[in-house]
Amino acid sequence: MSIFKPEKSLWIYHLNTGSCNGCDIEILAALTPKYDAERFGVKLVGSPRHADIIVATGPVTAVAKESVLRVIDQVPEPKAIVVTGVCGITGGVFRGGYSIAGPLDTLVPVDVYVFGCPPKPEGIMVGILKAAEVLELKRKGMYQKDVVRISETGGVL
Amino acid sequence: MSILYWLLWILLLFVWALLVGGIDRKIVAHLQGRYGPPFWQNITDFVKLFYKKGKVASRTALVVIDVALVIGVAAAVLALSVLPFPMGSGDSQLLSASGDLIIFAYAFALMAMVYVLIGFGGKSPYTLVGASREISMLLSYEIPFILLIVAMGYRAVFITGLPVESIFSMSALLAAKSQLGTLLMDPIFLGIFLVLLVLGPAVVGSVPFDIPEAETEIVDGYGAELHGPRLGVLFGLKHIKLITYSYFLWMVFVSPLTGSVLLNVLSALLGSLLVAIVINTIPRAVSGRFRIDQGAKFYLLGPGLASLLLLLLTLV
């Protein structure tokens, strides 16, 4: 029954690893009344220990690296990581810079990529819902380590 | 038989508490022009937390947190055991003694102390700040709350003419209710009811007085270090606290007496939902969070003085 299905309750933790704030604004837009992510059971939580899904933005700066790894380590299993925006996926315009320690997938395994600079709220919502599918596979022990790629408007690539 | 019925009743009340939490989210969503989560969302959240497994920070004192959670569940059961529950024709209590009104007030203070213990057990700066804020809030709303409980005890004895030994007993309040039809017919009880409604958001820790668990400032305050099943118990405890307080206000002050068990149960469930909407949902939808000094000042100057006045009126 879907009432007792853990993947219908998605508590997300918004992790900024050194982003320009473009993606952060779009994540907040996905939670506003116009897009209303709460209708899928999505709730923004303050502590990483309460979270199911990490929505990360930014290319992971050298200064932020240690904190980012500690925060991700605090999230209880099963967890899923959604990287939002091109900077988080490849490093974007910051790639190869002296102050960059990322992108995030070189440090921890990532489950969903949402492309765009910044992606639209629709894309971020699809990313979160795909992360819920990843959570279900992880809970059932059937996870294949496939990365899901979402376009900026929400199409699966 | 009575205890079995009562156990079934508190189980139903707990599920209802989670449903009330979901209905609250749905109503707030509609007030903001959103569709909102399904009304059973909080049941899903509660079940999900028991699937999670996380790491515990080395500084966290898990023993303190576990003991606090056990005390919290015991306090909730204690509070519900002295409250009337709908059975047969009229209300009856599982445990009834002279002074059970004081036990009820004590159980509520104990539930707030559980949050403080959880905060100190977490030992993170955020949980410590949450715990100290909870103590400040407790000191500001507990004084009017206790004054009102004393006023209720005196007034019930005055109205019913019962012997003075039955002061502070729930049965005296129920006798006064059956004499008046509903306690709101008496002006002093009406005043007490209104002040208790104003105290509601602070007692149950909802917006604008959720200062100890401000997510955006101190990452959920006292509960920041909890995860998995322990967080699930805390989540359930918050809901049961809201429903116990709403249920207390409905059953003691308002609830009409009927001869049918079904009607009594329905009245108790819907009545507690109504009170929960008034003390939790509406303030949450229309207001932001206060600062701790604003919250403390508000409760000491507003309900504090009002409760003192009501107590003096009762004694005169």
Side-chain angles (χ1 to χ4, degrees):
Chain A
M1 265 172 72
S2 70
I3 294 182
F4 301 115
K5 200 174 168 191
E7 291 75 30
K8 291 283 176 188
S9 158
L10 305 168
W11 290 5
I12 64 170
Y13 181 74
H14 172 199
L15 178 63
N16 183 333
T17 68
S19 153
C20 71
N21 272 358
C23 299
D24 306 284
I25 291 168
E26 299 300 321
I27 289 172
L28 294 184
L31 300 165
T32 52
K34 178 159 183 176
Y35 296 96
D36 188 22
E38 201 187 4
R39 68 183 193 268
F40 302 116
V42 175
K43 189 170 104 173
L44 192 67
V45 291
S47 168
R49 293 191 190 277
H50 302 178
D52 304 302
I53 298 172
I54 296 179
V55 182
T57 60
V60 190
T61 56
V63 176
K65 180 184 164 187
E66 198 188 328
S67 311
V68 167
L69 292 178
R70 279 185 66 186
V71 165
I72 290 175
D73 196 39
Q74 285 176 10
V75 179
E77 294 289 346
K79 67 184 166 203
I81 301 179
V82 179
V83 174
T84 310
V86 166
C87 296
I89 299 168
T90 64
V93 291
F94 305 108
R95 189 183 179 89
Y98 71 96
S99 60
I100 302 300
L104 192 61
D105 61 358
T106 60
L107 305 171
V108 285
V110 169
D111 303 298
V112 181
Y113 290 138
V114 184
F115 286 85
C117 181
K120 289 176 187 271
E122 294 94 326
I124 294 168
M125 294 237 293
V126 173
I128 291 170
L129 294 178
K130 287 289 171 194
E133 291 173 15
V134 170
L135 282 176
E136 187 174 2
L137 291 176
K138 282 186 175 173
R139 178 169 61 88
K140 291 177 178 167
M142 292 153 59
Y143 181 56
Q144 298 292 328
K145 293 187 179 153
D146 294 332
V147 180
V148 185
R149 293 174 177 81
I150 309 290
S151 76
E152 66 173 332
T153 51
V156 180
L157 299 174
Chain B
M1 191 58 206
S2 166
I3 190 158
L4 263 180
Y5 184 85
W6 179 77
L7 280 174
L8 268 177
W9 171 243
I10 59 165
L11 210 63
L12 175 70
L13 211 58
F14 177 61
V15 176
W16 181 244
L18 293 173
L19 280 175
V20 165
I23 294 169
D24 160 64
R25 284 172 75 175
K26 192 86 183 165
I27 293 175
V28 170
H30 277 278
L31 286 174
Q32 293 175 341
R34 292 188 285 127
Y35 185 72
F39 64 88
W40 59 79
Q41 184 62 46
N42 283 20
I43 296 181
T44 316
D45 289 351
F46 179 72
V47 171
K48 177 210 63 183
L49 287 169
F50 288 86
Y51 283 93
K52 307 290 283 183
K53 285 191 194 76
K55 294 177 184 169
V56 181
S58 54
R59 61 168 178 262
T60 303
L62 268 187
V63 183
V64 178
I65 291 176
D66 287 346
V67 169
L69 289 173
V70 171
I71 292 174
V73 175
V77 172
L78 181 70
L80 283 170
S81 69
V82 296
L83 280 178
F85 70 104
M87 182 183 172
S89 53
D91 305 324
S92 56
Q93 291 168 271
L94 183 77
L95 302 175
S96 172
S98 60
D100 49 9
L101 203 57
I102 298 291
I103 293 177
F104 177 77
Y106 175 73
F108 258 92
L110 204 58
M111 277 195 254
M113 287 314 289
V114 165
Y115 296 164
V116 176
L117 275 178
I118 290 172
F120 283 130
K123 289 188 187 170
S124 126
Y126 297 120
T127 62
L128 292 176
V129 170
S132 74
R133 286 186 181 191
E134 181 68 40
I135 293 175
S136 311
M137 282 309 291
L138 182 68
L139 288 176
S140 59
Y141 72 73
E142 197 63 15
I143 295 167
F145 187 60
I146 293 293
L147 288 178
L148 290 175
I149 293 282
V150 174
M152 280 166 73
Y154 273 105
R155 189 65 186 168
V157 169
F158 178 77
I159 287 177
T160 53
L162 285 167
V164 77
E165 293 89 62
S166 60
I167 191 168
F168 305 138
S169 74
M170 205 67 87
S171 52
L173 280 173
L174 294 179
K177 191 177 84 172
S178 61
Q179 198 174 320
L180 292 171
T182 154
L183 283 187
L184 301 185
M185 301 300 281
D186 180 61
I188 301 264
F189 270 123
L190 181 65
I192 292 173
F193 179 73
L194 292 178
V195 180
L196 281 175
L197 276 185
V198 177
L199 284 182
V203 175
V204 303
S206 67
V207 180
F209 299 104
D210 66 334
I211 307 162
E213 49 178 287
E215 296 94 356
T216 41
E217 304 155 29
I218 50 169
V219 296
D220 217 38
Y222 49 78
E225 290 288 324
L226 293 191
H227 57 80
R230 288 189 181 87
L231 183 62
V233 176
L234 181 64
F235 186 77
L237 208 57
K238 281 180 190 169
H239 282 80
I240 205 84
K241 197 173 178 187
L242 168 65
I243 206 73
T244 309
Y245 192 74
S246 320
Y247 179 66
F248 159 70
L249 287 186
W250 178 261
M251 289 303 276
V252 171
F253 285 89
V254 190
S255 149
L257 283 173
T258 61
S260 142
V261 179
L262 192 69
L263 275 180
N264 284 343
V265 168
L266 268 179
S267 134
L269 294 182
L270 294 178
S272 52
L273 171 66
L274 185 70
V275 178
I277 288 174
V278 171
I279 65 173
N280 187 35
T281 312
I282 295 174
R284 190 158 89 84
V286 300
S287 163
R289 187 179 301 118
F290 283 0
R291 285 202 316 270
I292 184 71
D293 59 320
Q294 291 170 326
K297 221 179 273 177
F298 172 78
Y299 275 116
L300 286 175
L301 294 180
L305 291 179
S307 57
L308 205 60
L309 185 72
L310 283 165
L311 181 60
L312 287 176
L313 283 175
T314 316
L315 294 178
V316 168

